[in-house]
Amino acid sequence: DAKTTQPTSMDCAEGRAANLPCNHSTISGNEYVYWYRQIHSQGPQYIIHGLKNNETNEMASLIITEDRKSSTLILPHATLRDTAVYYCIVRVEQTGANNLFFGTGTRLTVIP
Amino acid sequence: NAGVMQNPRHLVRRRGQEARLRCSPMKGHSHVYWYRQLPEEGLKFMVYLQKENIIDESGMPKERFSAEFPKEGPSILRIQQVVRGDSAAYFCASSPPDGYYEQYFGPGTRLTVT
């Protein structure tokens, strides 16, 4: 079962930052937070992951609260191509426990 | 580098026929995962394989479904005697041998059972 809670949908104006929240209040000390997105029925695309420190890459930033019970994915300058369903997933990094549990995600719509 | 490849992209089968879905992982990847996505739902894990081994099949239906990842060639997801409820998008993902981290997904195979 998914261990995360996300809003069902969000809108964001094109060019603005999109901030997607995720609650994972039961996260364990050895579980990472992962974000994937799925654009219109394509295969999911990896975005970013982190354990406790904030992370940034060319796609997005991940802000994890100090108690690790929630996180926020930030798309700094949303474009129309960022319209997708965004999945927040927690998982342990160990052999044999590699499957991803996808919940219902957040449907982000970027508005022109 | 070529990404994860799946074929066919679309597959139509009549009830009772067999469906074979193929997945070629990214070059150098030896871990393969299969997921199923029913209409308007999130992806559900089915099975995790390494070369010639099934590591975790906890998400596979007990009957009619099987998967393999031979030493040579693509991974195969096989569905025998398909029923309408098997209509879904089936996604394959792969990861490198030392990487438990991100999984790279293919474009999926959309199975329609008529």
Side-chain angles (χ1 to χ4, degrees), chain A residues 18-39:
Chain A
N19 297 286
L20 291 90
C22 179
N23 286 323
H24 30 81
S25 58
T26 60
I27 192 170
S28 301
N30 61 347
E31 287 183 313
Y32 286 70
V33 180
Y34 276 75
W35 284 84
Y36 281 77
R37 72 180 182 183
Q38 187 175 26
I39 299 174

Side-chain angles (χ1 to χ4, degrees), chain B residues 27-92:
Chain B
K27 186 178 181 180
H29 287 193
S30 57
H31 298 205
V32 166
Y33 316 80
W34 286 93
Y35 294 81
R36 177 167 64 175
Q37 186 171 32
L38 296 172
E40 304 303 320
E41 294 187 13
L43 282 78
K44 303 295 183 190
F45 166 77
M46 299 181 75
V47 62
Y48 161 41
L49 311 103
Q50 295 178 17
K51 286 282 188 180
E52 300 184 282
N53 282 308
I54 296 175
I55 306 302
D56 180 358
E57 56 182 347
S58 59
M60 287 279 271
K62 294 289 186 284
E63 297 178 349
R64 303 187 296 108
F65 285 72
S66 62
E68 62 177 6
F69 188 17
K71 186 176 181 181
E72 301 291 338
S75 175
I76 305 288
L77 179 68
R78 182 181 177 207
I79 311 173
Q80 295 178 289
Q81 300 175 326
V82 296
V83 300
R84 289 225 172 104
D86 296 333
S87 294
Y90 292 82
F91 292 97
C92 166

Side-chain angles (χ1 to χ4, degrees), chain A residues 61-77:
Chain A
S61 294
L62 174 60
I63 308 298
I64 302 174
T65 57
E66 193 167 340
D67 63 8
R68 303 209 323 124
K69 293 185 177 182
S70 66
S71 61
T72 301
L73 178 75
I74 301 172
L75 307 178
H77 305 286

